[in-house]
Coordinates of all heavy atoms in Angstrom, one line a residue:
A280 N 230.0 39.9 -70.7 CA 229.0 39.0 -70.0 C 227.6 39.3 -70.5 O 226.8 38.4 -70.8 CB 229.2 39.0 -68.5
R281 N 227.3 40.6 -70.5 CA 225.9 40.9 -71.0 C 225.7 40.6 -72.5 O 224.7 40.1 -72.9 CB 225.7 42.4 -70.7 CG 225.5 42.8 -69.3 CD 225.1 44.2 -69.1 NE 226.1 45.2 -69.4 CZ 227.0 45.6 -68.6 NH1 227.0 45.2 -67.3 NH2 227.9 46.5 -69.0
L282 N 226.8 40.8 -73.3 CA 226.7 40.4 -74.7 C 226.5 38.9 -74.8 O 225.6 38.4 -75.6 CB 228.0 40.8 -75.4 CG 228.1 40.4 -76.9 CD1 227.0 41.0 -77.7 CD2 229.5 40.7 -77.4
L283 N 227.2 38.1 -74.1 CA 227.1 36.7 -74.1 C 225.7 36.2 -73.7 O 225.1 35.4 -74.3 CB 228.1 36.0 -73.2 CG 228.2 34.5 -73.2 CD1 228.6 34.0 -74.6 CD2 229.3 34.1 -72.2
A284 N 225.2 36.9 -72.6 CA 223.8 36.6 -72.2 C 222.8 36.8 -73.3 O 221.9 36.0 -73.6 CB 223.5 37.4 -70.9
E285 N 222.9 38.0 -73.9 CA 222.0 38.4 -75.0 C 222.0 37.3 -76.1 O 221.0 36.9 -76.6 CB 222.3 39.7 -75.5 CG 221.4 40.3 -76.5 CD 221.7 41.7 -77.0 OE1 222.7 42.2 -76.5 OE2 221.0 42.2 -77.9
R286 N 223.2 36.9 -76.5 CA 223.4 36.0 -77.6 C 222.7 34.6 -77.2 O 222.3 33.9 -78.1 CB 224.8 35.8 -77.9 CG 225.6 37.0 -78.5 CD 225.2 37.2 -80.0 NE 226.2 38.1 -80.6 CZ 226.1 39.4 -80.6 NH1 225.0 40.0 -80.0 NH2 227.0 40.2 -81.2
L287 N 222.7 34.3 -75.9 CA 222.3 33.0 -75.5 C 220.8 33.0 -75.0 O 220.3 32.0 -74.5 CB 223.2 32.4 -74.4 CG 224.6 32.2 -74.8 CD1 225.5 31.7 -73.6 CD2 224.7 31.2 -76.0
G288 N 220.2 34.1 -75.2 CA 218.8 34.2 -74.8 C 218.6 34.4 -73.3 O 217.5 34.1 -72.8
V289 N 219.6 34.8 -72.6 CA 219.5 35.1 -71.1 C 219.3 36.6 -71.0 O 219.9 37.4 -71.7 CB 220.7 34.7 -70.4 CG1 220.7 35.1 -68.9 CG2 221.0 33.2 -70.5
D290 N 218.4 37.0 -70.1 CA 218.1 38.4 -69.9 C 219.4 39.2 -69.5 O 219.9 38.9 -68.4 CB 217.1 38.6 -68.8 CG 216.7 40.1 -68.6 OD1 217.2 41.0 -69.3 OD2 215.9 40.3 -67.7
P291 N 219.9 40.1 -70.3 CA 221.2 40.8 -69.9 C 221.0 41.6 -68.6 O 222.0 41.8 -67.9 CB 221.4 41.7 -71.1 CG 220.6 41.1 -72.2 CD 219.5 40.5 -71.6
A292 N 219.8 42.0 -68.3 CA 219.6 42.7 -67.0 C 219.9 41.9 -65.8 O 220.1 42.4 -64.7 CB 218.2 43.3 -67.0
S293 N 219.9 40.5 -66.0 CA 220.1 39.6 -64.9 C 221.6 39.5 -64.6 O 222.0 38.8 -63.6 CB 219.5 38.3 -65.1 OG 220.2 37.6 -66.2
V294 N 222.5 40.0 -65.5 CA 223.9 39.9 -65.4 C 224.5 41.2 -64.8 O 224.5 42.2 -65.4 CB 224.5 39.6 -66.8 CG1 226.0 39.5 -66.7 CG2 224.0 38.3 -67.4
E295 N 224.9 41.1 -63.6 CA 225.4 42.3 -62.9 C 226.9 42.5 -63.1 O 227.3 43.7 -63.1 CB 225.0 42.2 -61.4 CG 223.5 42.2 -61.1 CD 223.3 42.3 -59.6 OE1 224.1 42.9 -58.8 OE2 222.2 41.7 -59.2
T296 N 227.6 41.4 -63.2 CA 229.1 41.6 -63.3 C 229.6 40.7 -64.4 O 229.3 40.9 -65.6 CB 229.8 41.3 -62.0 OG1 229.4 40.0 -61.5 CG2 229.4 42.4 -60.9
N297 N 230.4 39.7 -64.1 CA 231.1 38.9 -65.1 C 230.6 37.5 -65.2 O 231.4 36.6 -65.7 CB 232.6 39.0 -64.9 CG 233.0 38.3 -63.6 OD1 232.3 38.3 -62.6 ND2 234.2 37.7 -63.7
M298 N 229.4 37.1 -64.7 CA 228.9 35.8 -64.7 C 227.6 35.6 -65.4 O 226.7 36.5 -65.2 CB 228.8 35.2 -63.3 CG 230.2 35.2 -62.6 SD 230.0 34.3 -61.0 CE 231.7 34.6 -60.3
V299 N 227.5 34.6 -66.2 CA 226.2 34.3 -66.9 C 225.8 32.9 -66.6 O 226.7 32.0 -66.5 CB 226.4 34.4 -68.5 CG1 225.1 34.0 -69.2 CG2 226.8 35.8 -68.9
V300 N 224.5 32.6 -66.3 CA 224.1 31.3 -65.9 C 223.1 30.8 -66.9 O 222.2 31.5 -67.4 CB 223.4 31.4 -64.5 CG1 222.9 30.0 -64.1 CG2 224.3 32.0 -63.5
L301 N 223.3 29.5 -67.3 CA 222.4 28.8 -68.1 C 221.6 27.8 -67.3 O 222.2 26.8 -66.8 CB 223.1 28.1 -69.3 CG 223.9 29.0 -70.2 CD1 224.6 28.1 -71.3 CD2 223.0 30.0 -70.9
D302 N 220.3 28.0 -67.1 CA 219.5 27.1 -66.2 C 218.7 26.2 -67.1 O 218.4 26.4 -68.3 CB 218.6 27.9 -65.4 CG 219.2 28.4 -64.1 OD1 220.0 27.6 -63.5 OD2 219.1 29.5 -63.7
G303 N 218.3 25.0 -66.5 CA 217.5 24.1 -67.2 C 218.1 23.4 -68.4 O 217.4 23.0 -69.3
V304 N 219.4 23.1 -68.3 CA 220.1 22.5 -69.4 C 220.7 21.1 -68.9 O 220.8 20.9 -67.7 CB 221.3 23.3 -69.9 CG1 220.8 24.6 -70.5 CG2 222.3 23.6 -68.8
N305 N 221.0 20.3 -69.8 CA 221.7 19.0 -69.4 C 223.2 19.4 -69.3 O 224.0 19.3 -70.3 CB 221.5 17.9 -70.5 CG 222.0 16.6 -70.1 OD1 223.0 16.5 -69.3 ND2 221.4 15.5 -70.5
A306 N 223.6 19.8 -68.1 CA 224.9 20.4 -68.0 C 226.1 19.5 -68.4 O 227.0 19.9 -69.1 CB 225.1 20.9 -66.5
P307 N 226.1 18.2 -68.0 CA 227.2 17.4 -68.4 C 227.3 17.2 -69.9 O 228.4 17.3 -70.5 CB 226.9 16.0 -67.7 CG 226.0 16.4 -66.6 CD 225.2 17.5 -67.0
V308 N 226.2 17.0 -70.6 CA 226.2 16.8 -72.0 C 226.7 18.1 -72.7 O 227.5 18.1 -73.6 CB 224.8 16.4 -72.5 CG1 224.8 16.4 -74.0 CG2 224.5 15.0 -72.0
L309 N 226.1 19.3 -72.3 CA 226.4 20.5 -72.9 C 227.9 20.9 -72.7 O 228.6 21.3 -73.6 CB 225.5 21.6 -72.3 CG 225.8 23.0 -72.8 CD1 225.5 23.1 -74.3 CD2 224.9 24.1 -72.1
A310 N 228.4 20.6 -71.5 CA 229.8 20.9 -71.2 C 230.8 20.1 -72.0 O 231.7 20.7 -72.6 CB 230.1 20.7 -69.7
E311 N 230.5 18.8 -72.2 CA 231.4 18.0 -73.0 C 231.3 18.4 -74.5 O 232.3 18.4 -75.2 CB 231.0 16.5 -72.8 CG 231.5 15.9 -71.5 CD 233.0 16.0 -71.4 OE1 233.7 15.7 -72.3 OE2 233.4 16.5 -70.3
A312 N 230.1 18.7 -75.0 CA 229.9 19.0 -76.4 C 230.6 20.4 -76.6 O 231.3 20.5 -77.7 CB 228.5 19.1 -76.7
A313 N 230.5 21.3 -75.7 CA 231.2 22.6 -75.9 C 232.7 22.4 -75.9 O 233.4 23.0 -76.7 CB 230.7 23.6 -74.8
K314 N 233.2 21.6 -75.0 CA 234.6 21.3 -74.9 C 235.2 20.8 -76.2 O 236.3 21.1 -76.6 CB 234.9 20.4 -73.7 CG 236.4 20.1 -73.5 CD 236.5 19.2 -72.3 CE 238.0 18.9 -72.0 NZ 238.2 17.9 -70.9
A315 N 234.4 19.9 -76.8 CA 234.8 19.3 -78.0 C 235.0 20.3 -79.1 O 235.8 20.1 -80.1 CB 233.8 18.2 -78.5
Q316 N 234.3 21.5 -79.0 CA 234.5 22.5 -79.9 C 235.3 23.7 -79.4 O 235.3 24.8 -80.0 CB 233.1 23.0 -80.3 CG 232.2 22.0 -81.1 CD 231.0 22.6 -81.7 OE1 231.0 23.6 -82.4 NE2 229.8 21.9 -81.4
G317 N 236.0 23.4 -78.3 CA 237.0 24.4 -77.9 C 236.4 25.5 -76.9 O 237.1 26.5 -76.7
V318 N 235.3 25.2 -76.3 CA 234.7 26.2 -75.4 C 234.6 25.5 -74.0 O 233.8 24.5 -73.9 CB 233.4 26.7 -75.9 CG1 232.7 27.7 -74.8 CG2 233.5 27.5 -77.2
L319 N 235.2 26.0 -73.0 CA 235.2 25.4 -71.7 C 234.2 26.1 -70.8 O 234.3 27.4 -70.7 CB 236.6 25.4 -71.1 CG 237.7 24.7 -71.9 CD1 239.0 24.8 -71.1 CD2 237.3 23.3 -72.3
V320 N 233.3 25.4 -70.1 CA 232.3 26.0 -69.3 C 232.4 25.3 -67.9 O 232.9 24.2 -67.8 CB 230.9 26.0 -69.9 CG1 230.9 26.8 -71.2 CG2 230.5 24.5 -70.1
S321 N 231.7 25.8 -66.9 CA 231.7 25.2 -65.6 C 230.3 24.6 -65.3 O 229.3 25.3 -65.4 CB 232.1 26.3 -64.6 OG 232.0 25.7 -63.3
Q322 N 230.3 23.4 -64.9 CA 229.0 22.8 -64.4 C 228.9 23.0 -62.9 O 229.7 22.6 -62.2 CB 229.0 21.3 -64.7 CG 229.3 20.8 -66.1 CD 229.4 19.3 -66.1 OE1 228.5 18.6 -65.7 NE2 230.5 18.8 -66.7
V323 N 227.8 23.7 -62.5 CA 227.6 24.0 -61.1 C 226.5 23.1 -60.5 O 226.3 23.1 -59.3 CB 227.4 25.5 -60.8 CG1 228.6 26.3 -61.1 CG2 226.2 26.0 -61.7
S324 N 225.7 22.4 -61.4 CA 224.8 21.5 -61.0 C 224.4 20.6 -62.2 O 224.8 21.0 -63.3 CB 223.5 22.1 -60.4 OG 222.6 22.5 -61.5

């Protein structure tokens, strides 16, 4: 999770366990585009 955060420009220090949050994104568009490339993510807002 910390590695993923670092790769995505999220502060790894903000990741305490196994969850990474991407804020300020167009969640529906990003989720569909990622799914089309084989990566499934969760939209929480």
Side-chain angles (χ1 to χ4, degrees):
R281 288 189 291 271
L282 174 63
L283 184 60
E285 183 179 0
R286 295 283 196 273
L287 298 177
V289 176
D290 182 4
S293 69
V294 178
E295 296 186 30
T296 54
N297 65 327
M298 297 186 187
V299 179
V300 182
L301 300 178
D302 275 317
V304 299
N305 188 330
V308 171
L309 180 60
E311 283 302 311
K314 182 179 180 180
Q316 296 192 50
V318 177
L319 304 182
V320 300
S321 179
Q322 303 176 55
V323 293
S324 82

